[in-house]
Amino acid sequence: MQTARQQEIIETALGLINENGIQSLTIKNLSKKLGITEPAIYRHFENKIQILVSILDLMKQNSNDIFSSELKSEESAAQKIEQLFKKHFRSFSEMPSLASVVFSEEMFRNEKVLIEKISELIEQNNKILLTILNEGQNNNELRNDIDAAHLAVIIMGALRLFVKKWQISGFTFDLQDEGNKLIQSVKLIILK
Amino acid sequence: MQTARQQEIIETALGLINENGIQSLTIKNLSKKLGITEPAIYRHFENKIQILVSILDLMKQNSNDIFSSELKSEESAAQKIEQLFKKHFRSFSEMPSLASVVFSEEMFRNEKVLIEKISELIEQNNKILLTILNEGQNNNELRNDIDAAHLAVIIMGALRLFVKKWQISGFTFDLQDEGNKLIQSVKLIILK
DNA sequence: ATAAAGTTAGTTAATAAACACTAACTTTCA
DNA sequence: TGAAAGTTAGTGTTTATTAACTAACTTTAT
């Protein structure tokens, strides 16, 4: 569980990441943005890694909510994938810092705890996506001529690159509007 | 143009990145690996940024060689895309550090020169890919029901994510062998 | 042909800035 | 009044980078 102040801190941290990338997440910058001094941060978090762990936990939960609520729904596989995209696009639009964190795995390479968190997140999503794809193939709704694992790479690859392009552009296009168009193309590709 | 020593330095830098990620590319680590002292590096490069610029230039040239040689060939669009994948897979297999650099754009966010270099690289490749896709669509070889720009996102997204997975796995599977299988799936998807 | 001048590639020693983090003291407020 | 949340002032480490100097080689000019 988290205190109100802890939540404020990780929200501020996400804002910082959003504005200037993960590299700008320093205790100094964070405390300045919170309007307190650096040591005050340590009243709420043991160290910087715990702040990052909290951020990753938030992301994991967010992503898990999206993926697993879709898994339970009664829609077709194509609709599920569509919802998966849509919800991610909405999520990223509302909190672009989430995208910044997803794409900065490299930064975490030297911290064991953080690598594990990131890996869990990716692995978890991949599993659910594969389940959806397999179901769709068994129902004869999705094309069978392509391995589900390959479909997963193609789908997630498109999603990731699209979000990345949006990020690189400095958020200059509407992720949700443009994203909806991409979804239609992805659906054309995976449907039988 | 570069001196022999400058080339040695960037090769060593790539080795360092390959072993422990871009974060381990420090002047200290670099000089240690070269068997000289830190200040000696500055006899050959003005500063660290110039070393990174050289690395990005190398990558840009490498990637450009692959893309533009394919553009000129007389093959079908699908074959061109296949070769694009294959050559990239080979390139990454031979020098995995290239993959490390491609995926660490985030690290460069605070250096204007480096963002530009990375952007150039991505933009250049995207242009050539679009040309190939448009040609294929006009020849009635590739499916016309999907916007070429969307096809490009789907193709490059798959390529990038696949290489990333290989990197995260610690290079535990054969990129070229497994990659060839993925190529077949991508071809099924884009062909009419 | 050779001494003078200059270059190349290295050294040791140091600096300044950024970083995460700590100890000890003070304020705030329920 | 006492715990929670802040402060000031500092530590130790890691960065990239510079200053001053040197040994060994190359070029230039007489």
Side-chain angles (χ1 to χ4, degrees):
Chain A
M1 271 304 91
Q2 280 184 346
T3 67
R5 195 59 168 150
Q6 281 178 320
Q7 274 188 319
E8 273 181 73
I9 292 174
I10 70 169
E11 268 163 38
T12 309
L14 282 168
L16 215 46
I17 292 169
N18 186 37
E19 285 157 29
N20 300 302
I22 193 103
Q23 296 224 75
S24 69
L25 180 62
T26 63
I27 300 296
K28 190 172 191 171
N29 289 344
L30 186 54
S31 59
K32 195 188 296 171
K33 200 164 193 205
L34 280 159
I36 55 177
T37 57
E38 296 168 54
I41 305 274
Y42 293 90
R43 294 280 169 212
H44 307 280
F45 285 96
E46 201 192 325
N47 52 37
K48 190 184 167 180
I49 290 167
Q50 292 310 310
I51 297 175
L52 286 166
V53 166
S54 293
I55 289 173
L56 289 176
D57 276 337
L58 184 80
M59 288 188 53
K60 190 182 174 185
Q61 208 201 315
N62 183 277
S63 195
N64 192 44
D65 288 351
I66 294 175
F67 271 91
S68 57
S69 77
E70 243 6 89
L71 187 60
K72 280 178 292 194
S73 83
E74 287 303 318
E75 305 157 308
S76 68
Q79 280 174 314
K80 284 179 186 169
I81 303 287
E82 175 160 1
Q83 285 305 314
L84 233 55
F85 269 64
K86 278 195 174 165
K87 287 179 180 173
H88 271 105
F89 287 153
R90 194 188 313 146
S91 228
F92 286 138
S93 283
E94 284 167 4
M95 215 191 258
S97 44
L98 290 179
S100 299
V101 179
V102 183
F103 295 121
S104 51
E105 301 109 336
E106 176 72 22
M107 291 279 331
F108 303 148
R109 272 237 244 173
N110 39 2
E111 271 304 329
K112 218 181 127 202
V113 205
L114 300 176
I115 307 169
E116 273 165 25
K117 285 270 163 199
I118 285 268
S119 304
E120 272 173 38
L121 194 143
I122 294 171
E123 200 39 53
Q124 162 196 270
N125 292 355
N126 199 245
K127 241 181 196 163
I128 295 176
L129 182 59
L130 274 176
T131 310
I132 294 173
L133 290 172
N134 278 319
E135 263 180 38
Q137 285 184 327
N138 290 337
N139 295 345
N140 237 21
E141 185 204 339
L142 300 184
R143 59 195 300 166
N144 269 296
D145 58 341
I146 294 179
D147 189 29
H150 282 178
L151 283 182
V153 170
I154 290 164
I155 291 171
M156 287 307 294
L159 176 61
R160 285 176 60 105
L161 181 53
F162 193 69
V163 173
K164 175 120 214 152
K165 282 189 170 213
W166 170 68
Q167 190 199 30
I168 290 174
S169 83
F171 316 115
T172 51
F173 62 87
D174 189 292
L175 182 67
Q176 297 190 65
D177 288 353
E178 294 304 311
N180 282 341
K181 295 178 195 160
L182 179 66
I183 294 171
Q184 298 314 314
S185 297
V186 170
K187 272 165 70 180
L188 280 177
I189 270 176
I190 60 174
L191 282 171
K192 199 146 201 168
Chain B
M1 273 303 91
Q2 282 184 346
T3 66
R5 195 58 168 152
Q6 280 176 321
Q7 273 188 319
E8 272 181 75
I9 292 174
I10 70 169
E11 269 162 40
T12 309
L14 281 168
L16 216 45
I17 293 169
N18 188 36
E19 285 157 28
N20 300 302
I22 192 102
Q23 297 225 72
S24 69
L25 180 61
T26 63
I27 300 296
K28 190 172 190 171
N29 289 344
L30 187 54
S31 59
K32 195 189 294 171
K33 201 164 192 205
L34 281 159
I36 56 177
T37 58
E38 296 165 55
I41 304 274
Y42 293 88
R43 292 282 164 213
H44 306 280
F45 286 96
E46 200 192 326
N47 52 38
K48 191 185 167 180
I49 291 167
Q50 292 311 308
I51 297 175
L52 286 165
V53 165
S54 293
I55 289 173
L56 289 176
D57 276 337
L58 184 80
M59 290 188 52
K60 189 181 174 186
Q61 207 201 314
N62 183 278
S63 196
N64 193 44
D65 287 352
I66 294 176
F67 271 90
S68 56
S69 79
E70 242 7 90
L71 187 61
K72 279 178 293 194
S73 84
E74 288 302 318
E75 305 157 306
S76 69
Q79 280 175 315
K80 284 179 186 168
I81 303 287
E82 175 160 0
Q83 285 305 315
L84 232 54
F85 269 65
K86 278 195 175 164
K87 287 180 180 172
H88 271 104
F89 288 154
R90 194 189 312 146
S91 223
F92 286 138
S93 283
E94 284 166 4
M95 215 191 258
S97 44
L98 290 181
S100 299
V101 178
V102 183
F103 296 121
S104 50
E105 301 110 335
E106 177 71 21
M107 293 277 333
F108 303 149
R109 270 238 244 173
N110 39 3
E111 271 303 332
K112 217 180 126 203
V113 205
L114 299 177
I115 307 170
E116 273 165 25
K117 283 272 163 199
I118 285 269
S119 304
E120 271 172 37
L121 194 143
I122 293 171
E123 201 39 53
Q124 161 196 271
N125 291 356
N126 199 246
K127 240 180 197 161
I128 295 176
L129 182 58
L130 273 176
T131 311
I132 294 173
L133 290 171
N134 278 320
E135 264 181 37
Q137 285 184 327
N138 291 337
N139 296 345
N140 238 21
E141 185 205 340
L142 300 184
R143 60 194 300 165
N144 269 297
D145 57 341
I146 295 179
D147 189 29
H150 282 177
L151 282 183
V153 170
I154 291 164
I155 291 171
M156 286 308 293
L159 176 61
R160 285 176 60 106
L161 181 53
F162 194 69
V163 173
K164 175 120 215 153
K165 283 189 170 212
W166 171 69
Q167 190 199 29
I168 289 174
S169 82
F171 317 114
T172 52
F173 62 88
D174 189 292
L175 183 67
Q176 296 190 67
D177 288 354
E178 294 303 313
N180 282 342
K181 295 178 196 160
L182 179 66
I183 295 170
Q184 299 314 314
S185 297
V186 170
K187 272 164 71 180
L188 280 177
I189 270 176
I190 60 174
L191 281 172
K192 197 145 204 173

